[in-house]
Amino acid sequence: MDKDRRKVLGMAGCMAAAGVLGTGAFRLVGAQEDKKDEPKARPPVKLDDKGKVLHEVLPYVALDPDEALKLSYSNKLIGDCMYGVFATVVEMLADKVGGAYLTYPTSVTRFGAGGIVGWGATCGSVQGAAMAIYLVSPNPTPIIDEVLNYYQYTMLPDLRPPNAAMDIKPSRADSTLCHVSISHWTKASGAKTFSKERVERCAQLAANLTKKTVEALNAQLAGSFKADFPIPEEVVACRACHDMGGAMENTRGKMNCLTCHSGHDELKPNIYEKPPIKL
């Protein structure tokens, strides 16, 4: 009886071991096959006819600007300003289009907070808008120009999201720089930079910018886009001398020059009917 029992147990042990080995062997083969299929190097980038990296876009469908306003406000509060704009566009397209949008790593945009990890450089909302536009638009430059000029020359926030926590006094940035934008707002509002009011202001600002971005993208998709905020004549005049091909050619850019530099007598600082705010 004991002998038979030991025999049965021995057979069961052999069967179990075979199962483990079989499973391990299967997994090993599978792992080797997976590794075999992995690319050994990054594929070469695609270049256009000018030898530049090809601008490849993901598919875009019209989005709801009001939904974007609400979602962007919430996203800014959990991921800061650049994330608030960019992630909103990607998430909304994920719902409508799927594909690459479902796995796009939106959290990488956290670096844009505070004008690039607190440096006060280009506003994160502006960066997020430009990145989203470039991701989906076959002709991104006029849309980016429109959104950035809207950011510079509009009293923002100009529309309170329905889920906003409080009313915020608007101000005009007169620049795309976080440092200048926030400085102008603190002067207009009397609030501090590191305050809950400033956090709320930037959340509403991101929401407004996302709505504007979606509206511009929708218009371009429909073939009806027209810039409401072209580069002002005063900036064009500055660039005529200081930008490419000008008599001086010592700088470049599209920002409001007169925010930081005094203009010539013949150039009145009346860009979009309101002079720049001097700090």
Side-chain angles (χ1 to χ4, degrees):
M1 189 76 171
D2 290 339
K3 185 178 179 181
D4 291 341
R5 185 167 178 268
R6 284 196 298 271
K7 185 176 180 181
V8 170
L9 290 173
M11 290 176 63
C14 289
M15 291 173 66
V20 170
L21 288 173
T23 303
F26 175 78
R27 286 177 179 170
L28 181 60
V29 170
Q32 288 175 338
E33 288 177 351
D34 290 343
K35 191 172 181 180
K36 191 185 298 180
D37 292 339
E38 288 179 359
K40 298 195 184 320
R42 285 181 59 83
V45 296
K46 297 178 182 178
L47 303 179
D48 61 20
D49 55 2
K50 296 180 180 178
K52 298 292 186 180
V53 175
L54 185 67
H55 175 215
E56 298 181 276
V57 300
L58 294 182
Y60 181 79
V61 296
L63 301 176
D64 184 344
D66 292 327
E67 182 184 344
L69 178 79
K70 183 177 180 179
L71 179 59
S72 181
Y73 173 83
S74 298
N75 275 338
K76 190 277 174 190
L77 293 178
I78 64 171
D80 296 312
C81 44
M82 185 177 180
Y83 179 88
V85 180
F86 183 76
T88 296
V89 175
V90 171
E91 288 174 15
M92 293 178 72
L93 288 170
D95 290 340
K96 287 186 169 254
V97 177
Y101 294 114
L102 294 170
T103 56
Y104 203 97
T106 54
S107 62
V108 71
T109 58
R110 288 292 311 282
F111 78 86
I116 306 177
V117 293
W119 272 76
T122 304
C123 172
S125 294
V126 167
Q127 295 181 67
M131 187 173 176
I133 293 165
Y134 216 86
L135 185 68
V136 302
S137 171
N139 185 21
T141 300
I143 306 296
I144 293 174
D145 285 348
E146 170 73 359
V147 171
L148 267 61
N149 277 327
Y150 162 81
Y151 177 94
Q152 286 195 103
Y153 302 119
T154 304
M155 296 290 288
L156 295 174
D158 60 352
L159 182 62
R160 175 176 171 168
N163 49 339
M166 64 183 80
D167 288 330
I168 291 294
K169 186 176 182 64
S171 63
R172 204 176 85 151
D174 282 311
S175 174
T176 55
L177 299 179
C178 169
H179 163 69
V180 177
S181 177
I182 287 181
S183 295
H184 285 178
W185 177 78
T186 56
K187 185 173 183 179
S189 67
K192 301 294 185 181
T193 300
F194 296 96
S195 64
K196 62 181 181 180
E197 290 83 7
R198 200 277 307 155
V199 173
E200 177 71 16
R201 177 259 183 181
C202 289
Q204 293 191 28
L205 184 68
N208 280 226
L209 208 65
T210 308
K211 184 176 188 290
K212 175 65 176 178
T213 298
V214 166
E215 289 172 341
L217 286 170
N218 288 351
Q220 188 180 68
L221 181 67
S224 60
F225 172 75
K226 181 180 178 182
D228 293 322
F229 296 90
I231 296 175
E233 292 180 4
E234 290 81 0
V235 176
V236 173
C238 291
R239 293 178 67 190
C241 290
H242 295 279
D243 210 334
M244 185 174 65
M248 300 184 71
E249 195 175 328
N250 58 352
T251 188
R252 62 189 298 172
K254 301 177 184 178
M255 281 195 295
N256 183 354
C257 310
L258 302 177
T259 300
C260 302
H261 303 277
S262 57
H264 301 291
D265 292 338
E266 65 271 21
L267 296 178
K268 296 179 181 179
N270 61 351
I271 294 177
Y272 289 121
E273 300 179 355
K274 183 176 180 180
I277 301 171
K278 295 300 180 183
L279 299 177

